Every structure is written in C-alpha cells, then in structure tokens.
Amino acid sequence: MMKRYLLFGLLTGIVLWQSASGQYVLRKAPPEDRSSTPIWSSMPIYGANQRLSHTSPYEGPTIPQVRWVASGGAINEPTHLSGRVIAPQMSIFGRVRFPRYVLFDVQSGLFRGSLGPFWGQLSPLTIFNTAVYVFDRNDVLVQVVPDWPVFIMAGGQYEARVISPSPVFGVPPLDVTLRGVPAYRSGFGVYTDGLMGNAVLGDNFGNLFGVAVYWVLSNRYTGPYIGVDFSFTPWPPISSAVLSSAVFNEHNDSGLAGYHNGIIIGYNTFNIPQPGPSFMTSVMELSQDDRIDPNDPSSAPDPLPSDDSVDRPIVFNADNTIAYVCASNYGRIYALGALGGSRLWGVKLDPSRPIPIMGGPSLGRDSLGNEVLYVIGRSGSNQSTLYALNAQTGDLLWSRALPNVSRCTPTVDVRGRLYFGDERGFLYCYDSDGNQIWRLAFGAPINVSPVLMSIPNGPTVLVVAVSNRYLICIQQQQRVPPSPGPIGAGQVGGGAQ
C-alpha cells in the first residue's frame, strides 16, 4: 500500500503521504451537495494542448546536444509533469500486453518509479482540471477550487486508471481502475459541464464515454465523485472504431469525433447537462465538391470511394473556429467550421494520385505569424514528403521530399521550427520555410512525436523516443557538457549533420 502512494506521489509531486489502508470506496455526493451554479469562467483550461495540434509554447534546440539517455523508449508520447518525464513503455521483456508508465527525472534521466502493469497498448497520460466544492457545517457552498488535477492512464480495450490527489489531510487520494469502460483510445480531450471536468475516451466499437470527476468537502461527506457519461455514444450506434481523432476544444463549445469508416460527428458540449450531436458528415460527403483538376471548378467531380478513413487526429486552429480533418488513405485534407461542420476548403496533396497521410496534422506559425498546417505523406515506397499548407486557405506553401519513410507527427516549437523522426532513426529539425536546420542519427525508428519540456531552473529540452530502446533528451548545445545520465551524454555521431 505504501508503494502505491509512493508511486502516486512521484506521479503528481503534490500528493500527501497517507497511512490509511484498504480499498477506496466510490460514493456519490448527496444531491444537495452539488452546486447549481456553472463555473465556466473559473475552469478555462483542461490539460495541455487539448487541440492535439502539437504546437509547443517552448523553443527547441537549434544546435543539438544530448543531455541524457534512458532505456526503454516509448510506445506513445511522453508527458512532462512536476519535473518528471512520464513515458508509456513496454515491459522489460518487450511484451505489449503488460506495459507500464515509467517515470524519469527530466534533469538527469534517472529512473524514478513506474505505474502498472496495464493490459494493452498505453495512451499518453491525460491531465485535466476539475473542481473541489467546499461546504460549511450547514451545507452551504462557501468556496470552489476550480483547478484541481486529475490524471487518467489507459491500457487495453477496457481499462482506465483515474488518479486525483486528495485536497484534505487524512482523506485518501482517488486512485481507481475503471474496468468495462473503453479506454483503448484515450486523451481525446476534456470539457466541463459547469460542475466538473470530463475526459473523453473511446473504443474500437464506436463508443464514446466521458469520465467525470469532482471533489466534495462537507460535514456529511468528504471525498471524490467519479462517474461515466454515456451520452456521447451515438444512437443508432456506429459500428466502427473511434480512432485517435476526437478532440474537444478548451472553450467547451464544440467537439469532433472521427471514425475508421470515415464518419465525423460534431458535438455541442454546451448542452447542459448532457452534450449532444450537432452534426454528422463523412469525408466521402465532404469530397463531393472535389474536382479532378482542383484548379478547374468545371472539371469532373472526384469523390472519395467508400473505403477512406479518418485515422489521423482532428485538430483545431488557434482560435478554435476551424477543425482540420484528414481523409487518411487518399491524401485529402478538409477544413470544417468547428461548430456547424460546414466545409471551408478541401485540398489534395497530389492531384494525380493518392498520398496516404501518415504523420500530422500539426499546427504552427511561420516567420510572419501566419498559422501553417503540416502533414507527412507516403509519397513513395521508401520515401515520405513533408507538406506545409496555409491553415486559412489550404494553399500549398511548400513541400520537402524526405530521404526515408516517416510516420512521425511533427512537433512545432514557439518559433515555428518542426521536430520529427523517420523509420531509419533520423531526427530532423526544419524551419517554417522548409529548410533543414539539423539532423541526428539514432539507428532505430522514431515514430512517436518528440516532446518539448521545460526543466525547472534550466533549459528547454526535446525528449525523443527511439523505438522501444531509448529515451533521449536533447538540449541546446552548451560549452560545459551536461552531467552524465544513466547511460551517457554528449553529442551523437559528432553532432548534427
């Protein structure tokens, strides 16, 4: 039991030591303990970048230097929390069915603990905020703490572990595994219904569920409430997988879910108490306005066949008015109005042939401050191409042929620089005009998006998963070499190429 709380403390950095034992019993707060006043204004942010745009607020390295190397790599994107890198990793024996979330010190790369095992492939750690309601002895609401943290880890088709630190001494933290709830595709986004934070999960059968959490501190009951909101699941059901393509924007007014069979559903999360579908379309329907020659509106229609899919993430632009949807198999991108689903524009990566989209979309800004949409397409049997589109118009700004196949979604730093890898183990940095700044070689596939993290009282670093072998931390080159990590430090292969 002590180990359980120790690991939890490592994860959050703020949990209190507890001596209580036994399993936590979930109890719903009494109805009169629930505030009827929405708290929209006090709950504006949920987690980090729920738009899934891979836009970072940090500046990445222009002259790279390896700070530390740790073993195990990552099977999905790492997360930075309270000085820890949290990496979803396979088991030490390489078994996909028993992975763990492994914690490393962001400064040194030293191992700091793990959480698991889980049943199947892990999602990135989902972090969001919820409310703590404080009542006096007469059950009168006296205070609302609007930004209390909740963490969700998911592994396997029907397993989600929900953790939230206790706001009160002597009360155990919330730490419960929900079974029978779809969790294979986690981290779709978070919204508030005015009472609590809800994280949205989905599964391979077309179901979407909101996992809701809040805390109550009162004379009669002190503890968390956790529940599952089934109202996202469409009726009649859609018998197709919800892939990592659903997102709910941080302004809590709209959300989109993409399915493997090409269907797109928009949700109005402003409906209280339950969100409801606001529109339904598909990439096949959106393609009805496509033409054989995109530059000639009078040319013959070029609709998509029925076998296309929305396999890439749906992302919102900076002001949450436009959603970008990829028809993944045939290399088409559509911009939709985020609230009504109307088509704003559509583009083919190559008018003459399909280009499967394997990385992105990502969003960033160029040197003039304009928003740019990036995708990586499979342009040949052993080659990919990086495309940059004007996010407002869909016009192609530039494209760059890459030397190898890449399945990696680029991460874009605050200066518009892109960081991504390929299947032969090269890590690239490009500027917003398509010029390569540097390249490093690591010898194993880099398919997981690199993550920019800020070290407390230190530099910004780029954490890169090299397959399931290594986790590599890269910083801006310094005159004094960094302290050696657990495996080694210094430049790789003499530095950037």
Side-chain angles (χ1 to χ4, degrees), residues 223-249:
Y225 163 78
I226 180 170
V228 179
D229 181 1
F230 295 88
S231 59
F232 285 103
T233 300
W235 185 263
I238 297 175
S239 299
S240 182
V242 185
L243 297 174
S244 24
S245 51
V247 60
F248 296 81
N249 73 42

Side-chain angles (χ1 to χ4, degrees), residues 369-393:
N370 300 313
E371 204 162 10
V372 181
L373 185 73
Y374 300 99
V375 296
I376 292 177
R378 182 75 172 261
S379 52
S381 59
N382 58 358
Q383 189 178 54
S384 293
T385 298
L386 172 64
Y387 300 87
L389 307 176
N390 183 304
Q392 291 294 321
T393 65

Side-chain angles (χ1 to χ4, degrees), residues 23 73 87 89 91 93 99 106 193 207 213 246 256-258 317 327 376 378 401 403 406 423 455:
Q23 295 296 318
Q89 291 190 348
S91 70
F93 303 106
V106 71
D193 60 4
N207 300 306
V213 177
L256 284 84
N317 69 338
I376 292 177
R378 182 75 172 261
S406 174
E423 291 202 330
I455 292 180

Side-chain angles (χ1 to χ4, degrees), residues 312-334:
R312 303 305 308 162
I314 296 175
V315 302
F316 285 103
N317 69 338
D319 62 6
N320 296 303
T321 58
I322 303 175
Y324 302 97
V325 178
C326 295
S328 317
N329 298 337
Y330 289 85
R332 303 189 192 185
I333 304 171
Y334 300 99

Side-chain angles (χ1 to χ4, degrees), residues 111-133:
F111 173 78
R112 297 301 188 194
S114 66
L115 287 154
F118 288 79
W119 176 248
Q121 182 171 337
L122 300 179
S123 68
L125 176 70
T126 296
I127 307 171
F128 66 100
N129 300 332
T130 194
V132 178
Y133 292 93

